[in-house]
Amino acid sequence: MLSKIFTRSGLALLGAAPVPISSAKLYVSSYAGTITTFDLARVGNASYQFARLDTNTGCSPNASWLQIDVKHRNLFCLDEGITVGNGTLTSFKIRDDQKGSLSTVKHTVIPNAPVNSAIFNSPNGSQLLAVAHYAWALTTWKVDPATASYLPLQSFNFTQPKAGPNAARQAAPHPHQVLVDPTNRYLVIPDLGSDLIRIFYIDPHTLQVSPRPSINVTPGSGPRHGVFHRLGRRSGIDSGEVDFYLVSELSSTLAGYQVLYFPNNGGMGLNPFGFVHAWGSSNDPIFSGNAPAEVILAPGAIANQGVQLLVSNRNATFFKDVKNPDPRNSTQIDSDTLASFTIAKDGRKSGLEFRGLSPAGGSFPRHFSLNCDGSLLAVGLQNSGRVIILERSTATGVIGEDAVADFEGLGQVTSIVWDEGGRNGD
């Protein structure tokens, strides 16, 4: 077991109370074909121990995405199959041991280039795993939550009549994400190649999905990932209204939409109300090649600012000569960015407000995720081959510039999920 203990902390910088965490596990996938299990533990009031517990190669050769079901102790891994002619889907049971090790349940060859997945939980207890394939497909799988075994259900191959405005990146459909909407009725799939948001209705009894009209977005924008926000949910007063925030990779933008649901499970529409650069308001030419990757909605609300959105930006090393995440290494590094935006309490009236940039801790933050209470941010730096942990103030939303833990030498990191002993994030 390899571990690192850090005595420095961003708590004083952020002016926040000590992070209420004793121990949490994280699972990290890499294009090196590994799933690495880490334990993050708080040591006293000012330091963390970040220990590598286990490495699993059952999702090789190119692990691209992890989907955790904390309740049922299941982990699903997609292998993109970059170096071979197909992808794979592997399910694991998370063992109840100190290492959080993984026991393989099922390993299946699936269509090429799976990059993202989502779990639909039916009211009757059945479960659907939906997989977005960058090589123009959607597949669905019926999962037994008790065992993590699965069976194929449906497969959809997408087409488009001609290349999009960015011919090099939009010669074919490229679904890059699949989400379940907040009403638990639809699969929502941003398609980077076709400039579409594809919609599928989910039959909760049969788990069969059926297409609904797709939604056009700005030509050439290349929609990549999105996140839903159910208005009022975080203040305890659920209005029933839903917004959708979309990061588009090719136009490097973040857009806000009001979701309009059609009657009789007929699908949805998107009414735009906010549109900003994914990097905020900077005029620095470094952002001419910026490529945003991930967008997440932080839990809770920021005092006097509303709800916070975070976006990871790649290929734009705006921060120069920042402190190395490894305290044993004095060599300074350049860093891509994390951008912070807030959704005002009046929501669509004020739209999106840029709050600032912070260092991502290295190169190409392909994926990042928050722990359940939003106080810790795990960033997967693809080109740096590193995972770093940053503190975030739940009161102000400010992200600390110095890593409180890190681990390098992981290959090209692709995704990170938290396992906090049965706690689920919102």
Side-chain angles (χ1 to χ4, degrees):
M1 181 180 74
L2 301 177
S3 65
K4 298 179 180 180
I5 298 178
F6 296 84
T7 57
R8 57 195 171 92
S9 169
L11 289 172
L13 173 69
L14 298 176
V19 179
I21 180 173
S22 56
S23 180
K25 289 184 173 62
L26 295 92
Y27 294 91
V28 179
S29 64
S30 166
Y31 275 151
T34 58
I35 305 171
T36 306
T37 308
F38 290 94
D39 182 78
L40 178 67
R42 190 165 183 82
V43 182
N45 290 321
S47 61
Y48 290 85
Q49 178 176 293
F50 196 41
R52 183 173 65 182
L53 302 180
D54 192 48
T55 300
N56 188 294
T57 58
C59 191
S60 61
N62 308 121
S64 58
W65 183 256
L66 296 174
Q67 185 77 49
I68 193 168
D69 178 353
V70 173
K71 178 181 178 181
H72 297 102
R73 312 307 296 151
N74 299 333
L75 185 73
F76 301 88
C77 181
L78 304 179
D79 155 35
E80 194 168 343
I82 296 171
T83 58
V84 294
N86 56 262
T88 63
L89 168 61
T90 306
S91 62
F92 302 90
K93 291 299 290 187
I94 301 172
R95 291 175 177 163
D96 186 18
D97 58 26
Q98 290 184 345
K99 295 173 64 176
S101 54
L102 302 173
S103 177
T104 302
V105 175
K106 190 169 184 177
H107 179 79
T108 304
V109 173
I110 64 175
N112 197 26
V115 292
N116 195 272
S117 65
I119 291 175
F120 165 79
N121 291 294
S122 173
N124 64 18
S126 59
Q127 198 172 74
L128 173 79
L129 180 72
V131 177
H133 299 255
Y134 191 74
W136 48 85
L138 167 73
T139 60
T140 62
W141 309 80
K142 184 177 182 179
V143 175
D144 178 357
T147 66
S149 189
Y150 56 85
L151 293 170
L153 281 176
Q154 293 172 278
S155 180
F156 299 85
N157 292 319
F158 303 126
T159 61
Q160 63 188 48
K162 62 179 182 178
N166 188 329
R169 297 290 308 278
Q170 297 184 305
H174 293 308
H176 211 293
Q177 185 193 33
V178 55
L179 308 93
V180 178
D181 85 305
T183 69
N184 210 38
R185 290 184 293 157
Y186 296 103
L187 296 178
V188 177
I189 306 163
D191 187 330
L192 187 149
S194 300
D195 290 322
L196 293 174
I197 308 299
R198 299 184 185 273
I199 311 294
F200 284 77
Y201 170 70
I202 311 165
D203 187 310
H205 306 290
T206 66
L207 299 182
Q208 295 288 304
V209 304
S210 52
R212 295 296 185 262
S214 296
I215 302 168
N216 293 296
V217 295
T218 304
S221 61
R224 179 182 171 98
H225 281 196
V227 63
F228 284 98
H229 174 219
R230 195 157 193 160
L231 274 66
R233 186 175 182 180
R234 285 168 167 77
S235 63
I237 304 173
D238 192 341
S239 69
E241 294 190 68
V242 175
D243 288 340
F244 181 63
Y245 296 92
L246 178 69
V247 157
S248 293
E249 179 176 341
L250 303 184
S251 62
S252 197
T253 53
L254 171 65
Y257 299 90
Q258 178 186 10
V259 179
L260 305 172
Y261 287 103
F262 303 147
N264 304 315
N265 298 319
M268 66 178 71
L270 295 177
N271 183 27
F273 65 81
F275 184 88
V276 292
H277 292 302
W279 66 83
S281 57
S282 173
N283 293 321
D284 194 307
I286 192 73
F287 289 109
S288 62
N290 190 68
E294 189 61 86
V295 56
I296 61 176
L297 187 70
I302 308 303
N304 302 317
Q305 295 182 23
V307 178
Q308 184 183 36
L309 285 163
L310 298 172
V311 175
S312 63
N313 290 298
R314 303 166 296 168
N315 201 44
T317 52
F318 177 73
F319 289 99
K320 306 293 184 182
D321 300 325
V322 300
K323 185 182 294 185
N324 198 301
D326 186 346
R328 302 169 302 180
N329 190 339
S330 61
T331 303
Q332 293 181 314
I333 64 170
D334 295 343
S335 176
D336 286 330
T337 66
L338 300 173
S340 172
F341 301 86
T342 54
I343 308 164
K345 291 182 179 179
D346 60 4
R348 302 168 191 137
K349 181 178 179 181
S350 298
L352 294 163
E353 298 181 27
F354 174 59
R355 294 295 178 180
L357 296 171
S358 58
S363 177
F364 267 61
R366 177 187 176 98
H367 188 244
F368 67 105
S369 60
L370 284 164
N371 67 337
C372 287
D373 68 7
S375 62
L376 293 170
L377 184 68
V379 184
L381 297 155
Q382 182 175 344
N383 288 357
S384 298
R386 165 180 268 154
V387 170
I388 70 166
I389 308 297
L390 299 168
E391 287 181 322
R392 172 184 172 272
S393 168
T394 56
T396 66
V398 174
I399 298 170
E401 292 191 4
D402 295 341
V404 296
D406 93 287
F407 202 98
E408 57 185 330
L410 296 171
Q412 292 190 319
V413 176
T414 53
S415 70
I416 307 168
V417 294
W418 290 81
D419 180 7
E420 297 181 72
R423 296 174 64 200
N424 279 301
D426 189 14

